[in-house]
């Protein structure tokens, strides 16, 4: 319609074709017939910051705006609005990408938005992507998956967004919104995907031919098809998996090389030389200087458990390792694998008893596909002569090669993604899996959610077929449950004259802002540094590290002081814990410093009811930062980046004590003055929350759509509407981290 680019199949000079690169930047393609851009066999076809509006492709052709055949398409920051195919007779209502040439540059599409209704007789209502390459789209700056829903069930429906990037209202034969094939790799993040339809399979997404689709915090609702109301996952060919190996020899200055070694006494330790106990453990590494071992001196016997774990992006193909099990009271070492990120385990090798004072080679363990995590689990024996050691751990992962093989599988992975009212006339309300791989994490796509708006438990499906048909792997470990849970109406309900500030009603034109300051005093010991070496720059790094690792604002940290740890007598529990962290009684680090600081916060600007609750939360955050090692890691990383040699020596930390004081007794007004750290349902500021409430509760078109009248009254609605442009004393609702 506007530009046609023809490569080597039309030109006689191959030298010209090999270097044909065409770039479009900051262009508008408006109302062209025959689509806007067509490329065939072009070496590189680069479109950046373009706007495609009201372009029309002729019937029987593909791609309402762009059609790319065996062309190295690189498309980013483009907007597609109301591009169509006449009579819907074709594939890819707005974008069509196809490649079967092995020497073509891989296609890449990113940061594009699509708007406009599609109705095709072909595949891929809005996007048809059949090529080795990547498609990536992050629709908004906030989560649309599990955020806003609770473990007790869905209590609210999202109001579909308009005026922002969504994936909606598109219909096709297969893949109402997107058809993905040819080994493509697509990531859809933080999107609302609704109102799409397939006459056959895959209401929103059709994924096949060894392609991969990753849904990250996506809200998938009101899509429908025969099979897979939300997505259909099928295929029978693609790229053969070829394993790639990584060997962990622990030689990088005693580092763990990405393995989680556990915490407290029964943690695996990276060591050089002898373990220090007689008649057990190795005297040196299998190769090099370092190895990892489990120390079974008191109190680590009898039957103490040691976890050494690592999770992988791809499935694990094989495991091999060297081990040393010497001592009269050796325990049992189990090699275990997991298919659900450590929620459950399968034991694939067991080694027990005294194997003599020498390193042993374990036979290689070969696994079937489906396992993406490895654990070495050791249970100690009856006494201290049970130290076990590992070295040269080799783990091979399934990877990708260029050999075509029919056994390769298509993959759908969905993290923190929810489905609501998706419909399949045959099977699979949310997903239909046709003998491929479906991985779910922290979401509810496995549940049946057809025509259900309330009471759907995340723990068990409702009556009827499940949300996923054909098999899936679910990992629900560690899934955050947002608090407080959102409701269709705000709780408590506003009165006819609501007071949005503390009662009694303010007597002045400006509200009287009450403050309840809660001071949480913390003491931490840092090993490996002397207080005398800590100056102004070091204190700045430590303060920033505490804020970063504990998840509090740096501006809330006061009275940071560094003193000699020897001047402060540790509690018995802290001293015992410190002994474990600093060498379990065998060797003590020569220097340590006591870090004391206050975290001071206004109770009424949090989502806590009492001072004790707020202080307990702060204590938990600080303790987790210390126990997990995040504080030390953050300190050393910041110190290294700023060229500070004093703090790079920090090697361990331990909580000494925490206490709290408050400026007021723990009685809080019943008025809704508490502020949500993560505001339902879409992480809103107060003004945005007012817009949401107005749209849900007060606007006429919304009320007519749901067949109701305002449940809070005209007076309350006027207050809500005033709040839309109101001024608040602080940013009361904030997103403190990645959703």
């Amino acid at each position: 319609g506007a530009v046609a680019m023809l490569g080597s199949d039309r030109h006689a000079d191959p030298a010209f074709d090999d270097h044909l690169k065409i770039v479009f930047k900051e262009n508008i393609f408006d109302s062209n017939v025959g689509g806007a851009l067509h490329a065939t066999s072009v070496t590189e076809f680069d479109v950046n910051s373009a706007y495609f509006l009201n372009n029309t492709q002729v019937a029987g052709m593909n791609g309402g705006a762009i059609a790319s055949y065996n062309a190295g398409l690189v498309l980013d920051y483009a907007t597609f609005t109301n591009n169509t195919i006449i009579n819907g007779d074709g594939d890819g209502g707005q974008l069509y990408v196809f490649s079967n040439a092995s020497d073509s540059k891989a296609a890449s599409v990113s940061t594009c938005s699509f708007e406009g209704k599609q109705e095709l007789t072909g595949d891929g209502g809005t996007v048809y992507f059949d090529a080795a390459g990547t498609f990536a789209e992050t629709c908004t700056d906030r989560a649309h998956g599990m955020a806003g829903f609770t473990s007790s069930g869905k209590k609210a429906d999202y109001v579909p967004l308009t005026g922002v990037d969504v994936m909606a209202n598109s219909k096709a034969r297969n893949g109402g919104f997107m058809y993905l094939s040819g080994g493509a790799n697509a990531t859809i993040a933080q999107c609302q995907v609704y109102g799409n339809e397939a006459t056959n399979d895959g209401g929103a997404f059709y994924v096949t031919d060894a392609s991969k689709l990753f849904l990250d915090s996506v809200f998938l609702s009101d899509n429908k098809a025969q099979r897979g109301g939300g997505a259909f996952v099928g295929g029978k060919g693609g790229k053969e998996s070829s394993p790639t190996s990584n060997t962990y020899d622990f030689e990088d200055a005693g580092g763990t090389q990405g393995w989680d070694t556990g915490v407290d006494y029964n943690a695996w330790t990276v060591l050089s030389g002898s373990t220090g106990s007689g008649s057990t453990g190795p005297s040196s590494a299998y190769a090099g200087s370092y190895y990892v071992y489990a120390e079974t001196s008191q109190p680590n016997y009898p039957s103490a458990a040691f976890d050494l774990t690592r999770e992988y992006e791809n499935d694990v193909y094989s495991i091999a390792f060297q081990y040393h099990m010497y001592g009269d009271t050796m325990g049992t070492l189990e090699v275990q694998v997991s298919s659900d990120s450590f929620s459950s385990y399968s034991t694939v090798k067991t080694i027990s008893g005294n194997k003599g004072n020498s390193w042993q080679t374990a036979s290689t363990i070969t696994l079937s596909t489906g396992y993406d995590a490895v654990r070495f689990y050791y249970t100690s024996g009856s006494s201290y002569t049970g130290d076990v050691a590992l070295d040269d751990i080799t783990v091979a992962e399934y990877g990708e090669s260029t050999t075509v093989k029919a056994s390769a599988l298509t993959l759908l992975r969905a993290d923190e993604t929810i489905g609501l009212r998706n419909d399949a006339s045959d099977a699979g309300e949310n997903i239909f899996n046709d003998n491929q791989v479906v991985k779910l994490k922290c979401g509810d796509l496995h549940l049946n959610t057809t025509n259900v708006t309330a009471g759907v438990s995340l723990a068990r499906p409702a009556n009827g077929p499940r949300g996923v048909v054909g098999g899936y792997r679910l990992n629900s470990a560690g899934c955050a449950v947002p608090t407080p849970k959102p409701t269709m109406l705000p709780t408590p309900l506003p009165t006819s004259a609501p007071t949005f500030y503390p009662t009694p009603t303010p007597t002045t034109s400006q509200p009287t802002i009450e403050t309840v300051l809660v001071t949480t005093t913390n003491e931490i010991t840092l090993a490996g540094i002397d207080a005398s070496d800590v100056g102004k720059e070091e204190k700045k790094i430590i303060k920033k590290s505490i804020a970063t690792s504990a998840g509090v604002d740096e501006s809330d940290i006061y009275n940071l002081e560094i003193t000699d740890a020897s001047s402060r007598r540790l509690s018995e529990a802290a001293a015992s814990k410190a002994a474990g962290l600093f060498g379990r009684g065998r060797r003590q680090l020569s220097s340590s410093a006591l870090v004391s600081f206050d975290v001071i916060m206004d109770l009424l600007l949090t989502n806590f009811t009492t001072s004790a609750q707020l202080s307990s939360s702060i204590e938990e955050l600080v303790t987790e930062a210390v126990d997990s090692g995040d504080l030390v890691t953050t300190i050393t990383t910041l110190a290294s980046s700023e060229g500070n040699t004093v703090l790079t020596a920090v090697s361990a930390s331990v909580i000494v004590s925490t206490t709290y004081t408050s400026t007021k007794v723990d009685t809080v007004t019943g008025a809704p003055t508490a502020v949500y750290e993560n505001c339902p349902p879409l992480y809103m500021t107060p003004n945005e929350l007012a817009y949401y409430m107005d749209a849900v509760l007060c606007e006429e078109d919304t009320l007519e759509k749901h067949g109701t009248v305002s449940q809070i009254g005209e007076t309350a609605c006027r207050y809500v509407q005033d709040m839309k442009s109101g001024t608040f004393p602080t940013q009361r609702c904030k997103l403190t981290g990645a959703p």
Side-chain angles (χ1 to χ4, degrees), residues 292-304:
V292 63
Y293 86 106
E295 170 59 58
T296 58
S297 296
Q298 195 173 16
N300 288 345
Y301 70 82
S303 301

Side-chain angles (χ1 to χ4, degrees), residues 661-678:
T661 58
S662 174
T663 61
K664 186 179 178 182
V665 179
D666 282 334
T667 56
V668 180
T669 173
T673 56
V675 181
Y676 305 132
E677 188 172 74
N678 293 326

